[in-house]
Amino acid sequence: MNDSALRAQLAVFHVHRSSLEDWLLFWTWLVIIGVACECVFIILDHRKDWREWFEGQTAGVVSLPSKPSLFKLTLEILSVVFVVAGVSGELVIDSRLGTLETNVQDNNDQRVSGATDRATVADTKRVQLENRMLDIFGPRYFTSVQSAYVVKHLAGLKGVKIDVFVLALGNSSASGGDSDDPADFARTVVQLLRAAHMDAEGWVVSSCFGGSASGFNVSLHLPGSVGDRKIASEVLNAFRPNVATYREVLPTSSGDFCQAFSPLAPSRPNTRKHDAAVSITIGTKVQPILTREMLEPEP
């Protein structure tokens, strides 16, 4: 039952309770009237007995009893009826009020339970929204499922050389000064490529005079052959469902535009030169324009 229906039911309960309280007042007054009548009859009987005694004392004879009063009998019976009816009515109304109070309490419990459920749902949606915002604007990463997908779709490229370049824009790209660190993300990409048994090495590049400085791009090293383009397309298709990539393979690589190269992982020097025919260039994350559809949780 929704909250509006519970509110309507609660309003009906209050109206019913008000009506029962009026009846309880009515039956209480019957008891008061009945008891008051009993007091009157006690006084009347006392006055009668006093009068008979007084007349007997003054006349010296015992007076004959007077004719029974039908009016008095009626009042006496009514007083008893009022008392019995009033007490019975009070018991009935009190029982109904108890039932009504239980219904009101149950109604309120349902409303509290409904409010608690709505608060729980709202809190769950808040967490989902926070997580969704983190996915949209936070650092790039791969889940275990996404990592398995990439490795599986690169399984046919075992032994193929591929270079991963990270653009060193200021200090953030190489040292992690931003919430999204391209260098950290590039190291993850290299690990996935190596998990697929590709010959992958990574470099931080600078002193570049062209190419893209943002996003995730798959490109060819000049001149690039038809076979190299096919390999580049397979790499692009393996990453595309799980990370925002450029829509097609670029004809030139960052290696063709940059002059300074340093190992992506200084603790692990690269074992070869940056001469692979296919390369991935990772720059700063491209922040999308926020839309309502983007905030909807994924099915």
Side-chain angles (χ1 to χ4, degrees):
M1 189 177 294
N2 57 36
D3 188 65
S4 60
L6 289 173
R7 287 176 180 272
Q9 189 180 68
L10 189 59
V12 172
F13 287 159
H14 283 308
V15 172
H16 192 192
R17 174 182 177 140
S18 178
S19 175
L20 289 176
E21 287 177 345
D22 292 339
W23 276 106
L24 181 61
L25 182 63
F26 170 76
W27 294 116
T28 301
W29 273 108
L30 280 186
V31 174
I32 293 173
I33 293 173
V35 173
C37 290
E38 286 292 334
C39 292
V40 171
F41 299 145
I42 292 173
I43 295 173
L44 291 177
D45 286 340
H46 179 73
R47 290 185 61 185
K48 177 183 176 185
D49 293 341
W50 179 264
R51 186 176 61 253
E52 290 177 350
W53 177 82
F54 181 78
E55 289 176 353
Q57 290 292 326
T58 55
V61 295
V62 178
S63 60
L64 295 176
S66 60
K67 181 181 179 180
S69 173
L70 182 61
F71 176 73
K72 179 182 177 182
L73 176 63
T74 302
L75 288 181
E76 288 180 343
I77 293 175
L78 282 178
S79 67
V80 174
V81 170
F82 285 165
V83 172
V84 173
V87 173
S88 301
E90 284 182 340
L91 291 175
V92 172
I93 296 302
D94 187 64
S95 176
R96 291 183 180 180
L97 282 173
T99 302
L100 188 60
E101 289 288 350
T102 301
N103 292 336
V104 171
Q105 184 62 45
D106 291 342
N107 183 285
N108 287 331
D109 290 344
Q110 291 183 48
R111 292 187 63 192
V112 171
S113 176
T116 302
D117 292 341
R118 288 192 296 274
T120 301
V121 172
D123 188 63
T124 301
K125 289 184 177 180
R126 177 188 61 79
V127 174
Q128 291 176 344
L129 181 59
E130 290 176 351
N131 293 335
R132 186 62 180 153
M133 292 290 288
L134 184 61
D135 289 338
I136 296 172
F137 296 106
R140 290 167 287 185
Y141 66 96
F142 292 97
T143 65
S144 58
V145 174
Q146 292 172 334
S147 298
Y149 178 94
V150 172
V151 172
K152 177 181 177 181
H153 285 75
L154 293 176
L157 302 179
K158 182 179 180 179
V160 174
K161 289 201 302 184
I162 185 169
D163 295 333
V164 178
F165 299 122
V166 180
L167 299 173
L169 302 177
N171 295 323
S172 61
S173 297
S175 63
D178 292 337
S179 60
D180 178 75
D181 181 8
D184 283 343
F185 184 62
R187 282 186 279 269
T188 302
V189 171
V190 171
Q191 291 174 0
L192 292 178
L193 296 171
R194 289 173 179 168
H197 304 289
M198 296 184 70
D199 181 7
E201 296 290 355
W203 286 268
V204 177
V205 297
S206 58
S207 299
C208 302
F209 302 96
S212 175
S214 62
F216 184 105
N217 308 308
V218 178
S219 56
L220 297 173
H221 184 67
L222 292 175
S225 66
V226 175
D228 294 336
R229 178 171 291 276
K230 181 179 178 181
I231 293 173
S233 296
E234 291 185 35
V235 173
L236 179 63
N237 291 333
F239 282 98
R240 179 178 289 162
N242 303 306
V243 65
T245 64
Y246 192 70
R247 62 181 179 275
E248 59 187 22
V249 175
L250 298 178
T252 55
S253 167
S254 293
D256 300 322
F257 298 100
C258 301
Q259 298 179 352
F261 297 82
S262 60
L264 178 60
S267 61
R268 182 189 180 281
N270 295 333
T271 59
R272 62 172 176 80
K273 294 182 179 181
H274 46 85
D275 56 358
V278 178
S279 65
I280 296 174
T281 301
I282 298 175
T284 57
K285 182 179 181 179
V286 179
Q287 300 294 356
I289 298 175
L290 189 63
T291 63
R292 181 184 181 89
E293 289 73 17
M294 293 172 63
L295 296 179
E296 294 293 333
E298 295 180 355

